[in-house]
Amino acid sequence: MHTENLSVGYAAGTPLVLFEGLNLQLSAGELVCFMGPNGIGKSTLMRTLAGLHQPIDGKVVGVDVKSVALVLTERVATTNMTVHELVGFGRYPYLNWSAKLSTVDEQKVDEALAMVHLTYLSAKKINELSDGQMQMVMIARALAQETPYLLLDEPTAHLDLNNRVEIMKLLRTLARTAGKSILVATHELDLALQMADVIWLATRNKEVITGMPEDLVLSGAFDEVFQLKGFDLKTGKVFHEPFRNRTVKLEGTGPVYLWTKNALERNGFTISDTAALKIAVSEQRWKLNEKEFTTISGLLTRLLQFEK
Amino acid sequence: MAKPATFLTLTATVTLLLLLLNISFGSTYISPFELLQLPFGRNQDLAEILWAFRLPKAVTCLLTGAALGTGGLLMQTLFRNPLAGPDVLGLSSGSSLLVALVIMLGQSNIAILQLVAGSPWSLAIAATLGSALVFVLMIVISRFIKDNTSILIIGLMLSAATTSVVGMLLYVSKSEDLQLFMIWSLGNVGGTNWKEILVLACVISIGISIAISQVKSLNARLLGDTYAQSLGIPLAQSRFWLVAATSLMVGSVTAFCGPIAFVGLAVPHLVKLVVPSSNHRIILPLVMLGGACLLLFCDVLTHAFGTTILPLNAVTSIIGAPLVIWMVVKNKKMTL
């Protein structure tokens, strides 16, 4: 799928152009994360790519109703419907007017549920699912449609971290093993940076910057679009103000080192190799001026006493 | 959950039993045993009563109930609102307006109008046109307003406005017209002859056929418009057919039997309460049979108090309202 000089927006009433002259491409086996500020038109662009919304200008090449499956933000409110039935809707483009699923269709539904590891939920009513399960079922529904392209609009919104990671990992796997071309609109900056093959970055100039996440980080494209407030992209962490004006030297390795550093920086210390004050960390032991501590909290209390 | 086929057989059996019961009840009671002996006996009077009164009434109940139930289901799914129904959206009021006009025109002194209004088809056409007009108006409004509650409020307002116009028409009409309209507006399944039933059957068959042909789009609409569209459902086209089917059915029913209240709203809920499914492949036939059952039963009740025949609308609402209230209380919220 690719677009040629695509302009997206609303022509009716007062014309509203959201994007102009887009030349984008989606390739098989790629997970693309589509990012940008709220209200910039990500959903509209996705609907246009899916052929559900008329472009203002230009065209989308290589899609029809049978090649794109969607996962939307709107929640299916119907009760009295089983997970199996909901996933079965994915087979609708293949059915005639009577909407009767054949044995082959039923099999595809089971396969789709197996792909998201939710076979055990098949007979459950959809209003009994958790938000995370519901989102996975909606992905299964899209998979049952057997399309080369999968467009998902904020599939991880309202989910806890564990569910968010699970869904992104699933999409990552689907792109690699099933060769799907997946476009995910998301606000999960940290997850997108770690998981996406390509990032589409919607800017306020009605264009979409594309590139490898790492390249976009280093070129400063993210900072420009998001005008990040306190998140340091170069390190992938929240930026801490070194308000104590005190440098400490930290010696050690592994997770213990990283989390100690995190605690110190959050409390306003600066880590430097040339500092006089030295902290040595090892397995569950923190050593400061020959005195040993068994928790970071104990270490910090001591450090703060020095400050007074 | 038992298989849908079991429920279908069960409902069909209940419908048949109610049909028998309905034929038995009337100004004189005919026991089902007498009915069964009829083809072999020589009771001419009984055969006459049966052919001229009881059977037409029962068949009308059957057709009308199926049509109203189906119409209610189509509206509830189309608007994704459990409170939608033909009468809530002002369809019946639209019919009332045109029927009132036609009844008044029939009494006018202008020959051509008398001719038009006097034909047996005129009431049916007027009522169909009336409900179609209101429905098209609702569809146009619903294109601009996406919020279901607003659409429902607009439907209610439209209904109120039409009713007030009918009121004005009635205020200036002659007393015999007034009575004619009053009787019509209370609903009556006993006034149809076989010729009218044939027309009713034809129109309702068309409506139900369209409804069946839209099963896929009805199901897909449960997921919301965008999902339905992405599954290849032609939304505008299917909406047109749903409008057409409902208008045909509700229009013709209103024409021959008057505006029958509540059946369209209550039956889909009652069916879904018994058979917890949202698949229209299962629900649609059950709603048809369920509508027929409810109307056959209500009609039996109108004859249950000796010689006084109660108006049908009074009974449908008295039966329908407590049922719906009970369901809401039991389920906490209504389902689509």
Side-chain angles (χ1 to χ4, degrees):
Chain A
M1 180 204 288
H2 67 275
T3 68
E4 289 173 5
N5 257 330
L6 184 72
S7 289
V8 175
Y10 298 88
T14 33
L16 174 67
V17 181
L18 298 167
F19 294 106
E20 257 174 342
L22 299 184
N23 291 296
L24 300 165
Q25 178 153 5
L26 281 178
S27 315
E30 249 180 22
L31 176 64
V32 180
C33 282
F34 186 15
M35 313 201 66
N38 270 328
I40 207 157
K42 294 194 294 289
S43 300
T44 312
L45 175 56
M46 290 185 98
R47 283 214 312 279
T48 311
L49 291 178
L52 304 180
H53 188 83
Q54 208 59 34
I56 291 180
D57 198 21
K59 56 183 173 180
V60 183
V61 184
V63 284
D64 57 45
V65 92
K66 284 198 174 177
S67 60
V68 180
L70 293 176
V71 174
L72 303 166
T73 41
E74 56 191 86
R75 220 192 141 136
V76 176
T78 310
T79 51
N80 282 341
M81 190 187 277
T82 64
V83 166
H84 190 88
E85 280 178 309
L86 180 58
V87 176
F89 277 104
R91 302 305 299 165
Y92 266 45
Y94 302 92
L95 304 180
N96 66 8
W97 64 271
S98 73
K100 183 167 171 49
L101 266 66
S102 70
T103 342
V104 178
D105 291 320
E106 298 281 358
Q107 210 180 322
K108 302 273 185 202
V109 171
D110 292 336
E111 280 171 24
L113 273 171
M115 276 164 110
V116 299
H117 310 290
L118 288 184
T119 310
Y120 70 101
L121 286 179
S122 185
K124 206 161 167 115
K125 287 274 159 69
I126 58 168
N127 50 327
E128 294 166 2
L129 299 179
S130 72
D131 285 354
Q133 287 172 334
M134 184 65 186
Q135 221 34 289
M136 297 290 259
V137 169
M138 290 316 284
I139 292 173
R141 190 211 61 81
L143 287 175
Q145 226 169 314
E146 291 200 306
T147 56
Y149 301 99
L150 219 59
L151 308 189
L152 304 94
D153 197 355
E154 297 190 26
T156 56
H158 314 300
L159 299 185
D160 62 29
L161 182 63
N162 210 12
N163 280 314
R164 293 207 296 264
V165 174
E166 187 187 12
I167 283 181
M168 290 304 280
K169 275 184 76 178
L170 172 72
L171 295 174
R172 178 69 269 173
T173 316
L174 286 172
R176 203 180 53 235
T177 58
K180 302 254 181 206
S181 177
I182 303 177
L183 176 67
V184 190
T186 179
H187 288 294
E188 309 290 341
L189 189 54
D190 44 350
L191 281 180
L193 289 178
Q194 293 174 66
M195 306 267 223
D197 295 304
V198 176
I199 298 261
W200 290 6
L201 203 51
T203 73
R204 294 184 198 277
N205 308 325
K206 298 174 182 176
E207 29 169 53
V208 174
I209 304 170
T210 62
M212 284 248 288
E214 294 78 6
D215 284 337
L216 293 183
V217 167
L218 296 174
S219 74
F222 276 106
D223 303 83
E224 209 177 298
V225 171
F226 286 106
Q227 290 161 359
L228 295 168
K229 297 169 182 72
F231 189 78
D232 186 4
L233 265 183
K234 304 267 155 64
T235 61
K237 290 201 159 170
V238 174
F239 177 75
H240 292 296
E241 185 81 30
F243 57 86
R244 289 194 193 281
N245 232 342
R246 158 81 66 189
T247 52
V248 285
K249 184 177 179 182
L250 193 60
E251 281 180 345
T253 50
V256 194
Y257 172 82
L258 285 174
W259 285 110
T260 313
K261 184 168 178 266
N262 191 57
L264 291 173
E265 284 181 344
R266 188 177 66 242
N267 283 284
F269 293 97
T270 311
I271 309 291
S272 164
D273 279 347
T274 54
L277 196 60
K278 196 181 93 178
I279 302 167
V281 302
S282 55
E283 281 298 313
Q284 285 299 314
R285 287 281 180 281
W286 289 263
K287 221 165 160 185
L288 172 67
N289 290 345
E290 301 306 314
K291 195 170 172 18
E292 266 205 356
F293 300 92
T294 52
T295 59
I296 300 180
S297 151
L299 171 75
L300 260 172
T301 319
R302 182 76 182 154
L303 272 173
L304 295 179
Q305 277 167 7
F306 283 166
E307 291 302 299
K308 286 174 191 161
Chain B
M1 192 184 110
K3 282 212 170 105
T6 323
F7 281 111
L8 206 60
T9 325
L10 209 71
T11 323
T13 317
V14 173
T15 314
L16 267 177
L17 287 176
L18 278 170
L19 196 67
L20 264 178
L21 193 71
N22 188 281
I23 294 170
S24 298
F25 270 86
S27 41
T28 52
Y29 174 76
I30 309 168
S31 86
F33 298 105
E34 280 179 89
L35 286 176
L36 291 175
Q37 283 162 8
L38 208 63
F40 314 105
R42 291 183 218 290
N43 194 336
Q44 276 304 316
D45 288 348
L46 210 58
E48 180 65 28
I49 291 176
L50 206 67
W51 183 249
F53 299 104
R54 298 295 171 83
L55 266 179
K57 188 181 63 147
V59 172
T60 307
C61 278
L62 206 67
L63 289 170
T64 306
L68 290 176
T70 309
L73 180 68
L74 298 193
M75 290 306 87
Q76 287 172 11
T77 304
L78 176 61
F79 282 106
R80 285 205 292 285
N81 190 316
L83 282 176
D87 22 348
V88 178
L89 293 178
L91 277 176
S92 303
S93 311
S95 294
S96 301
L97 179 59
L98 286 206
V99 165
L101 264 176
V102 165
I103 287 177
M104 283 189 67
L105 288 178
Q107 308 296 322
S108 74
N109 295 323
I110 306 160
I112 182 79
L113 287 181
Q114 266 181 353
L115 195 72
V116 172
S119 95
W121 294 82
S122 62
L123 276 193
I125 292 170
T128 305
L129 269 181
S131 72
L133 276 176
V134 171
F135 207 95
V136 167
L137 196 60
M138 287 307 297
I139 282 296
V140 170
I141 292 170
S142 72
R143 289 210 108 146
F144 297 103
I145 299 168
K146 296 285 170 215
D147 178 41
N148 282 336
T149 318
S150 309
I151 289 169
L152 217 59
I153 292 170
I154 291 170
L156 287 170
M157 291 303 112
L158 219 60
S159 171
T162 338
T163 311
S164 90
V165 176
V166 171
M168 282 190 263
L169 277 176
L170 295 178
Y171 187 72
V172 297
S173 66
K174 286 182 276 181
S175 62
E176 56 263 43
D177 295 353
L178 201 65
Q179 203 186 2
L180 194 62
F181 182 81
M182 268 308 284
I183 291 169
W184 175 82
S185 72
L186 280 172
N188 176 27
V189 283
T192 44
N193 59 39
W194 284 111
K195 213 163 127 190
E196 288 170 331
I197 287 176
L198 191 67
V199 176
L200 199 59
C202 285
V203 179
I204 290 175
S205 306
I206 295 172
I208 284 179
S209 305
I210 298 174
I212 292 172
S213 77
Q214 295 298 313
V215 154
K216 186 176 166 186
S217 99
L218 284 167
N219 272 351
R221 277 173 189 280
L222 293 174
L223 299 191
D225 282 357
T226 318
Y227 274 125
Q229 208 185 348
S230 84
L231 293 171
I233 305 294
L235 285 182
Q237 197 188 326
S238 109
R239 175 145 72 174
F240 169 79
W241 286 117
L242 295 175
V243 170
T246 311
S247 299
L248 277 176
M249 288 187 290
V250 175
S252 59
V253 166
T254 313
F256 291 115
C257 310
I260 296 173
F262 245 95
V263 177
L265 170 65
V267 167
H269 293 299
L270 290 173
V271 165
K272 284 174 196 172
L273 193 73
V274 180
V275 184
S277 169
S278 55
N279 187 350
H280 288 78
R281 283 172 55 82
I282 299 166
I283 293 294
L284 197 59
L286 284 175
V287 160
M288 289 176 203
L289 288 174
C293 280
L294 186 63
L295 214 54
L296 283 167
F297 180 64
C298 287
D299 184 57
V300 169
L301 286 187
T302 62
H303 294 283
F305 298 92
T307 48
T308 324
I309 300 171
L310 298 172
L312 185 63
N313 262 346
V315 177
T316 53
S317 294
I318 277 180
I319 295 291
L323 270 178
V324 173
I325 291 172
W326 172 67
M327 277 171 0
V328 173
V329 172
K330 188 168 174 266
N331 280 19
K332 295 294 190 297
K333 74 190 245 277
M334 287 210 192
T335 54
L336 264 179

